[in-house]
Amino acid sequence: MATTGKQLFTTLDADGTLTVAIEDVTVPDPSGSQVLVKMEAAPINPSDLAILAGAADLENASYSPGKFVATVPEPYNSGSKARHGLKLPAGNEGAGTVVATGDDDAAKALMGQRVACVPGYAYSQYCIVDASTCLPLGDHSAEEGASAFVNPMTALGFVESARRDGQDAIVHTVGASNLGQMLTRICKEDGIALVNIVRKDSQADLLAELGSTHVVNSSDDDFMDQLRTAIDETGAFYGFDPIGGGRMVDQVFQAMEQVAASRMSEYSRYGSNEMKRMFIYGRLDTGMTMLSPSYGFGWSLSGWLLFPFLQSADRETVERMRKRVLDNLTTTFASHYKTRVTLDEMLTKDAITDYRTMKTGEKYLVTPWS
Amino acid sequence: MATTGKQLFTTLDADGTLTVAIEDVTVPDPSGSQVLVKMEAAPINPSDLAILAGAADLENASYSPGKFVATVPEPYNSGSKARHGLKLPAGNEGAGTVVATGDDDAAKALMGQRVACVPGYAYSQYCIVDASTCLPLGDHSAEEGASAFVNPMTALGFVESARRDGQDAIVHTVGASNLGQMLTRICKEDGIALVNIVRKDSQADLLAELGSTHVVNSSDDDFMDQLRTAIDETGAFYGFDPIGGGRMVDQVFQAMEQVAASRMSEYSRYGSNEMKRMFIYGRLDTGMTMLSPSYGFGWSLSGWLLFPFLQSADRETVERMRKRVLDNLTTTFASHYKTRVTLDEMLTKDAITDYRTMKTGEKYLVTPWS
């Protein structure tokens, strides 16, 4: 057949010119184990924003229907050298209906079904993906299934990582995010102690309603006291942070070390023997990560990404995680959206300047056929 | 008997007053597997300096024979809260002669022998240590054996760590240090590729004389180019840094990622899949460690200390390392000293302001009986 559909592309030129535009593309027929998904909903996650907008000057960009052209300032433009001149698709995940398949049985079995998928170019009307990567959604709507992958699997991945490293307690630095709320529900279900850091009282209230027992507010004067108490009560020397820049990770390490030092019977110039581990899984703040020399040498800070984690996990674990997501899609793993936009609408000044701020609880959903 | 000897103590009070003084102490008799070592030489390593001087204002300190009293400014004083009021000994390692032993055979066998040891209070005329931790020096002098532990075992530990993590190449950010020279010789002997970073041409020359093939100078305008080339040629995505503060680790991560990205066939917004690992094993710069968001999420930065490493290694590995040190004490593992000082002399303004700068190749040796 040769289907035609709209698709978003983002191109950064060497001079810092960022062009994001919707184009018509020809979609090839699916073959073998592939399926063609008519995409009905795709969320805009923080992980999508880096190539959609990044540090671009959106205020002075030029906007036209289905397109904007902006300038990415230094040092961000040079920092993105590897993508200069490349025309990239965008949109990690989404949900839609399988409208054509390859000849393999696994592909044919999905014909007509609604599925969640992770094409990497979900801001499209059509995507081709492998049947094995699809999550059949049953009676769930596309909106319910659109975020079935990134946030749920990431939150579950944190718990799997913690367990693999022998931990039964976690610190999460953005407790009230969509992902943070999921993590709160997962930890409650699994008996993992969770220290949730938030920035506002309203966020603390929200998490308390979800049953979170250790919520600390970084805007409070006694934040560090709160944090130390929560770490002491939970034994959380292991945490995840999507902020990246600034001193949040540093503060968590400091609080962990102060708790560990208070438990030591003897002083050591090298700090405590308690291993303190933090993982940066996002870059909400693109400034420098700053680490002070105040927690000895028993610490480790690493990047954490879902796909490498899934590659490192055995197939059984991943299948168990996927099944749990599907079984609890509208409860534990429910996502909420502030608003819905079409492919064209997502490139308007109003929309992009709003979702680029990544405010807690204000996620956008793209509906490519509206 | 009840031997009496001089010993150095360092005390930081809550108000930031640092008192370092030589005192007379009574040394108990060794028992069981213990031996009493009459200490003849002990090096001043960077790892000793934190509690000896740290960030104290040495310029305005008050000096008297065998004593100085200085002020530790904020935030360093608050950062050292855990040691407030504690009277601490100092001096990781040294060498001397066994002059008394406990009743165990292993202890008695060392009677009269010269040994290297790691008492943790080597700035003393006498130390009591367990026989099992002593390295008998045979005909070597105390000066030859004084640094037989910290630097040699650390340098060997780097190579062991790298091998354990499947690496055959290492970056070292202070190539020309005593430890760096040892590491250069070890890597050459073991066929491990080594990227040595130095700050001066004279240091580059010194390492070239040792046979180092990849020396890059951070003072050169094209430092990053040099570093990328060296990483590309060696495949070194694994490194050790004793500087800690500033951007050295960040620059190494950047160069590693740029090399990895140049080898990728496809662009990834998340950076390369090449795992980049750095270890901070010292704090020559007590400023903030700064990490830029320019190398994706495939990286890990950890503290590295010799004692936890040795605890994690099996007994056979540690014995093999110790034997190698002893067998090559005046070649591979030779240390050089700028000058020798007595216990009293090491607390004079001239001495402490000089060795506190930790200049490459200017290590001090303490000789407690001179």
Side-chain angles (χ1 to χ4, degrees), chain B residues 85-101:
Chain B
L86 299 176
K87 187 169 161 180
L88 302 170
N92 270 309
E93 66 179 338
T97 300
V98 175
V99 294
T101 77

Side-chain angles (χ1 to χ4, degrees), chain A residues 47-48 50-51 76 79-80 82-83 86 88-92 120-121 247 250 261 266-267 269-270 273 275 280-283 285-305 307-308 311, chain B residues 47-48 50-51 76 79-80 82-83 86 88-92 120-121 247 250 261 266-267 269-270 273 275 280-283 285-305 307-308 311:
Chain A
S47 53
D48 297 310
I51 60 165
Y76 304 102
S80 301
R83 64 169 285 204
L86 299 176
L88 301 170
N92 270 309
Y121 61 104
R247 297 198 54 176
D250 187 58
E266 244 182 81
Y267 170 76
R269 76 193 72 174
Y270 301 116
N273 287 322
M275 186 62 191
I280 291 181
Y281 70 95
R283 280 282 175 184
D285 180 338
T286 55
M288 290 270 188
T289 307
M290 298 205 276
L291 305 175
S292 61
S294 53
Y295 25 89
F297 292 85
W299 57 271
S300 177
L301 175 62
S302 309
W304 195 100
L305 273 186
F307 293 93
Q311 279 163 4
Chain B
S47 54
D48 297 309
I51 60 166
Y76 304 101
S80 301
R83 64 169 285 203
L86 299 176
L88 302 170
N92 270 309
Y121 60 104
R247 296 198 57 175
D250 187 58
E266 247 183 79
Y267 171 75
R269 75 194 72 176
Y270 301 115
N273 287 322
M275 186 63 190
I280 291 180
Y281 70 95
R283 279 284 176 184
D285 180 337
T286 56
M288 290 272 189
T289 307
M290 300 206 274
L291 305 175
S292 61
S294 53
Y295 25 89
F297 293 85
W299 57 272
S300 177
L301 176 62
S302 309
W304 195 98
L305 273 186
F307 293 93
Q311 279 162 5

Side-chain angles (χ1 to χ4, degrees), chain B residues 79-157:
Chain B
S80 301
K81 206 173 150 185
R83 64 169 285 203
H84 281 168
L86 299 176
K87 187 169 161 180
L88 302 170
N92 270 309
E93 66 179 338
T97 300
V98 175
V99 294
T101 77
D103 289 333
D104 287 9
D105 288 344
K108 284 200 260 183
L110 292 176
M111 187 63 198
Q113 290 201 51
R114 180 165 283 143
V115 296
C117 58
V118 200
Y121 60 104
Y123 305 142
S124 304
Q125 290 187 313
Y126 290 103
C127 290
I128 286 197
V129 292
D130 197 89
S132 68
T133 65
C134 291
L135 186 68
L137 289 171
D139 292 334
H140 290 296
S141 69
E143 178 167 330
E144 285 170 345
S147 297
F149 194 82
V150 177
N151 276 352
M153 295 295 270
T154 299
L156 287 172

Side-chain angles (χ1 to χ4, degrees), chain B residues 227-242:
Chain B
L227 187 55
R228 279 187 291 263
T229 301
I231 289 169
D232 196 26
E233 289 176 359
T234 57
F237 295 97
Y238 194 94
F240 294 89
D241 168 71

Side-chain angles (χ1 to χ4, degrees), chain A residues 120-158:
Chain A
Y121 61 104
Y123 305 143
S124 304
Q125 290 187 313
Y126 290 103
C127 290
I128 287 197
V129 292
D130 196 89
S132 68
T133 66
C134 291
L135 186 67
L137 289 171
D139 293 335
H140 290 297
S141 69
E143 178 167 332
E144 285 169 346
S147 298
F149 194 82
V150 178
N151 275 353
M153 295 294 270
T154 299
L156 287 173
F158 292 173

